[in-house]
Amino acid sequence: MDKQTHLRLLGTELREFLDVTNKEIADFNALADKLDDDQFTRRLRVRVVFSSIEAHISHLKASSMAFSLTEEEMFSAKEQFELLDQRLTSTGKIVENRPSLKENIKIAFKAFSKATSSGYIVDYGTTDAQRFFLAAEIRNRITHPKSAKDWSLSEEDIEQINAAWIWFGQHLANVGKL
């Protein structure tokens, strides 16, 4: 398969995956509209949005790694380990490595851009990018609570979560354009 065909297939798969996760979020929103706006529903919203984001990050990394198999030396050994969520210890042992969401999203977008030769660059210094990372902190707070207060989500928190999904989706769509 030639490079252009392969790139088109990857782009199509990414768009289909985005459609599935958009439907997941739309289905959740439809359900949430029927439920009370309580803390449980708000926490569930955060989980749905971030599970979709994490799925896309994983898909971007896997697609990048798969494409690199058709072109030697696309990624350095260190980059390949990052794409596989692994690292090499000083003793030469390969171990699991789970980067933070902030690191993982940067790895994924950079690798996919490189694998597709799209040249797409995400600017993480923007206000919207910073809002995304604040939303990730909200997600961390509710998934690793230290007190009852950590499970409480305000309207502003939910606005941050919704903005994070929009920001991520825009970059996902743009990096996948071929």
Side-chain angles (χ1 to χ4, degrees), residues 22-177:
N22 275 334
K23 183 174 178 351
E24 178 83 357
I25 289 171
D27 289 348
F28 170 77
N29 287 336
L31 176 63
D33 287 344
K34 296 175 186 173
L35 301 173
D36 292 333
D37 181 26
D38 61 8
Q39 290 299 313
F40 175 77
T41 306
R42 288 180 179 193
R43 287 189 300 273
L44 188 55
R45 176 181 305 282
V46 174
R47 291 180 180 112
V48 168
V49 167
F50 276 92
S51 65
S52 296
I53 289 169
E54 295 278 358
H56 281 292
I57 289 170
S58 179
H59 181 72
L60 287 170
K61 289 170 67 175
S63 295
S64 299
M65 191 64 194
F67 189 70
S68 75
L69 299 176
T70 65
E71 233 177 274
E72 290 183 33
E73 300 180 19
M74 178 179 288
F75 295 109
S76 68
K78 179 182 182 286
E79 289 170 322
Q80 289 178 34
F81 281 121
E82 287 176 338
L83 291 173
L84 297 170
D85 291 331
Q86 299 174 336
R87 68 179 172 81
L88 192 61
T89 66
S90 59
T91 61
K93 185 178 178 182
I94 298 171
V95 296
E96 184 177 359
N97 184 46
R98 294 287 178 179
S100 69
L101 177 63
K102 189 172 189 174
E103 293 173 61
N104 214 16
I105 195 170
K106 290 176 181 179
I107 291 166
F109 278 130
K110 181 179 177 185
F112 195 77
S113 178
K114 185 175 184 178
T116 60
S117 304
S118 73
Y120 188 77
I121 298 172
V122 178
D123 181 356
Y124 297 98
T126 66
T127 301
D128 288 340
Q130 295 312 305
R131 286 186 74 192
F132 176 87
F133 293 121
L134 288 173
E137 290 175 19
I138 294 167
R139 185 276 310 256
N140 292 344
R141 186 183 82 219
I142 70 148
T143 58
H144 306 288
K146 307 292 184 257
S147 70
K149 182 181 173 189
D150 290 342
W151 272 33
S152 180
L153 294 166
S154 67
E155 279 293 323
E156 183 180 295
D157 290 338
I158 296 304
E159 288 173 14
Q160 290 280 83
I161 298 303
N162 293 336
W165 175 246
I166 292 167
W167 177 86
F168 181 81
Q170 288 170 339
H171 288 289
L172 185 64
N174 288 335
V175 77
K177 286 183 182 173

